Amino acid sequence: MKFRFSILLLGVLSISALAEEKSTPPPRVYPVALPNYDEETATRLQIFLDNSDFGPGKIDGRMGEFFRKALISYKHAHAMPKTGAVDQWMLDQVPVTYTTYTIKDEDLKQIGDVPSNHAEQAQLKWLSYTSFLEFVAERYHSAEAFIQKLNPGKNWEHLQPGETLKVPNVLPFEVEKFTEGKVPENPTFTSRKVFVDTYEHLLEVFDQDHLVCVFPITPGSKTLPAPVGTWKILGATIWPWFRYDEGMLNYGVRTENYYNLPPGPNNLVGILWMGLNKPGIGIHGTNNPETIGRAASHGCIRLANWDAARVKDLVSVGNTVIIF
């Protein structure tokens, strides 16, 4: 009996250890020195990584923090030497660095005035892009300044349908193809886990031991950071409405003084809201991933809209989310 109890105890301990191991954050692999690649090489690598779901941040042809982390993460995930040497195979996947985009008449539907006052925003049906530059930059995952650099001499205040712009040859974020609604559970991805690294500002998805994707994020703010712990994805919505509540945003306390803001790329939670089993906390999109805005101040995880659009297809409702 004592022998059988020992075997049973060993089995319980093994299962506990396995469960603990599966929730253990992955090791950090980012402190690798990389050279400063020239703009053409950097842009091609950024496009390759972005197309491979290893988000380098905004495409800008520069050796930024998230570009470096995405490159090292990709090499780590594919058992490649984590050095600064440029792998020619990666460059070969992007034989054409730039393409063109011609502004269409229907793109006018995506542009409009967005008042800064939340009471006025709540009266609208859609929080659109405010300019063609903003629209095109997000469509091609780029910094607005980079799009302007690629297209010198353009009158950015008066772009019209029919004008052609030079843009990075990345898979575009086609905002017009997304429709409002719930994201269904994906049974294929039930074993996947989401890890949110609040120190490195990264969201990583693992399928067992395989690193599926990496995207840069903003994990709340200094005053109200993303809550460390183990959570679950309860649901996900494309083009969500946003309950703008000063009490929730500033102090994490729900009040009756709020505005319901309509969906759109300039909604404070962008294209996606993925709610966790902690009230008011979720993973969401944003049209301005470079700054920590009010929507992130209550501990939510923010991704660029184009990254959020892909994350929804790489995870499932019910997945575990480990914030550390």
Side-chain angles (χ1 to χ4, degrees):
M1 179 66 70
K2 185 175 181 180
F3 177 69
R4 289 177 60 192
F5 177 76
S6 298
I7 293 177
L8 178 61
L9 179 60
L10 181 60
V12 171
L13 290 174
S14 298
I15 292 172
S16 299
L18 181 61
E20 182 178 354
E21 181 183 353
K22 285 184 177 294
S23 296
T24 301
R28 294 189 173 111
V29 296
Y30 314 109
V32 176
L34 296 178
N36 285 318
Y37 306 134
D38 62 83
E39 184 176 286
E40 176 76 11
T41 299
T43 302
R44 289 172 71 184
L45 288 175
Q46 285 180 320
I47 293 169
F48 166 77
L49 291 167
D50 205 315
N51 286 343
S52 303
D53 294 331
F54 282 72
K58 289 187 176 184
I59 295 174
D60 58 4
R62 302 171 64 183
M63 294 294 294
E65 173 191 358
F66 293 116
F67 173 26
R68 294 172 183 270
K69 289 177 178 177
L71 181 58
I72 295 303
S73 295
Y74 183 89
K75 290 188 173 187
H76 177 73
H78 294 82
M80 299 168 65
K82 293 187 285 293
T83 69
V86 176
D87 191 294
Q88 185 61 43
W89 175 81
M90 291 186 183
L91 295 180
D92 291 343
Q93 308 312 303
V94 189
V96 179
T97 310
Y98 301 104
T99 185
T100 58
Y101 181 73
T102 301
I103 297 174
K104 302 184 288 293
D105 287 328
E106 52 262 39
D107 293 341
L108 289 169
K109 300 175 184 177
Q110 303 295 338
I111 314 299
D113 293 326
V114 177
S116 58
N117 183 287
H118 296 299
E120 294 179 23
Q121 290 179 2
Q123 302 304 312
L124 301 177
K125 294 182 178 180
W126 184 258
L127 295 177
S128 62
Y129 294 106
T130 58
S131 69
F132 275 122
L133 175 59
E134 185 182 46
F135 167 73
V136 173
E138 183 160 280
R139 194 176 191 87
Y140 291 94
H141 313 186
S142 299
E144 290 185 13
F146 191 54
I147 296 295
Q148 290 175 310
K149 181 179 180 180
L150 295 176
N151 297 274
K154 288 288 185 181
N155 186 340
W156 298 102
E157 298 298 323
H158 299 93
L159 288 180
Q160 298 295 325
E163 292 195 56
T164 298
L165 299 173
K166 181 180 179 181
V167 293
N169 192 23
V170 70
L171 295 172
F173 169 58
E174 297 177 315
V175 64
E176 69 278 6
K177 293 186 177 180
F178 294 92
T179 56
E180 188 175 348
K182 298 290 184 182
V183 180
E185 183 178 351
N186 188 336
T188 308
F189 296 156
T190 54
S191 64
R192 291 190 171 184
K193 285 186 170 62
V194 181
F195 290 88
V196 176
D197 189 332
T198 60
Y199 178 79
E200 298 288 354
H201 288 202
L202 293 174
L203 180 149
E204 301 173 313
V205 177
F206 279 81
D207 196 332
Q208 302 299 331
D209 295 327
H210 175 63
L211 177 59
V212 175
C213 64
V214 173
F215 295 107
I217 52 99
T218 300
S221 67
K222 291 182 179 179
T223 54
L224 285 172
V228 172
T230 301
W231 313 100
K232 290 281 186 182
I233 299 174
L234 294 183
T237 303
I238 300 171
W239 295 132
W241 287 69
F242 180 64
R243 188 180 188 275
Y244 183 88
D245 184 335
E246 290 277 354
M248 177 62 76
L249 293 173
N250 292 327
Y251 311 108
V253 178
R254 190 181 179 94
T255 73
E256 292 305 312
N257 184 23
Y258 65 90
Y259 298 105
N260 278 325
L261 303 185
N266 267 307
N267 181 293
L268 290 173
V269 293
I271 189 175
L272 178 75
W273 173 262
M274 194 171 286
L276 306 183
N277 60 330
K278 182 173 177 61
I281 302 299
I283 298 169
H284 67 83
T286 175
N287 188 36
N288 187 10
E290 290 183 341
T291 59
I292 298 178
R294 298 296 296 279
S297 65
H298 61 309
C300 289
I301 313 302
R302 294 201 310 165
L303 300 122
N305 271 335
W306 61 83
D307 289 338
R310 289 179 289 177
V311 165
K312 71 175 179 57
D313 294 327
L314 296 168
V315 300
S316 175
V317 173
N319 282 168
T320 298
V321 178
I322 297 97
I323 302 176
F324 63 99

